Amino acid sequence: MLSKQYDLWSEIRETDFGAFEGMTKRELEGSDLSGAYSEWMLSKSTCYDVPHGESWNDIQSRVELTFSRLASLSESVILVSHGYFIRCLVGASLGLPPEVAARSIQTENYCVYRMCLDQDDRVKLASPLFFG
């Protein structure tokens, strides 16, 4: 049974998209940010960062901090976060860097991923569970 206690972990917050924040794809493509947006969208392996936003290294640091916190706990927890960060978290459990995971892993709304610690206290993806 789950207790009603909860903690807010700042490291699992939504990704900061900087200059792109609050704009749709269509708006970005028609703005003076279109070049930066195109470069960012095509940068699967070059690690181009969002202007004035969070870098891939920032996201990787948050993923590692999340894994460290999880490894230090003696109880099961439920993490609730946003899709982009969830893809980075799941990707890291599979050994993928965030710039690859964010664009190659597809997640669905209301999707639950079960993660566990392996024998070396590393967080690993155990199984995806889908609600629908």
Side-chain angles (χ1 to χ4, degrees):
M1 174 161 225
L2 298 174
S3 69
K4 294 184 182 195
Q5 178 182 354
Y6 66 90
D7 293 318
L8 297 176
W9 290 11
S10 64
E11 60 269 22
I12 64 170
R13 70 187 177 280
E14 184 174 13
T15 302
D16 179 355
F17 288 103
F20 301 163
E21 203 68 57
M23 297 178 75
T24 66
K25 177 181 177 183
R26 181 173 289 178
E27 290 169 337
L28 285 165
E29 291 172 340
S31 74
D32 60 347
L33 295 169
S34 63
Y37 178 69
S38 293
E39 190 169 352
W40 181 72
M41 287 300 293
L42 297 172
S43 66
K44 291 183 181 182
S45 62
T46 62
C47 299
Y48 178 83
D49 296 328
V50 174
H52 310 292
E54 210 170 356
S55 71
W56 293 115
N57 286 338
D58 293 338
I59 296 169
Q60 182 65 36
S61 294
R62 290 198 295 123
V63 166
E64 290 170 4
L65 183 58
T66 301
F67 283 170
S68 293
R69 283 185 77 171
L70 290 171
S72 72
L73 299 174
S74 60
E75 59 192 2
S76 295
V77 298
I78 295 173
L79 298 177
V80 178
S81 188
H82 296 266
Y84 204 81
F85 185 73
I86 290 171
R87 290 191 299 271
C88 293
L89 197 66
V90 169
S93 73
L94 298 170
L96 299 173
E99 66 273 12
V100 174
R103 298 208 178 100
S104 62
I105 294 176
Q106 294 184 351
T107 55
E108 300 293 329
N109 290 334
Y110 312 109
C111 186
V112 175
Y113 292 93
R114 183 172 174 261
M115 300 176 129
C116 62
L117 296 176
D118 68 10
Q119 64 274 13
D120 298 319
D121 286 337
R122 292 178 302 201
V123 178
K124 293 292 181 185
L125 183 65
S127 64
L129 307 170
F130 297 95
F131 294 104

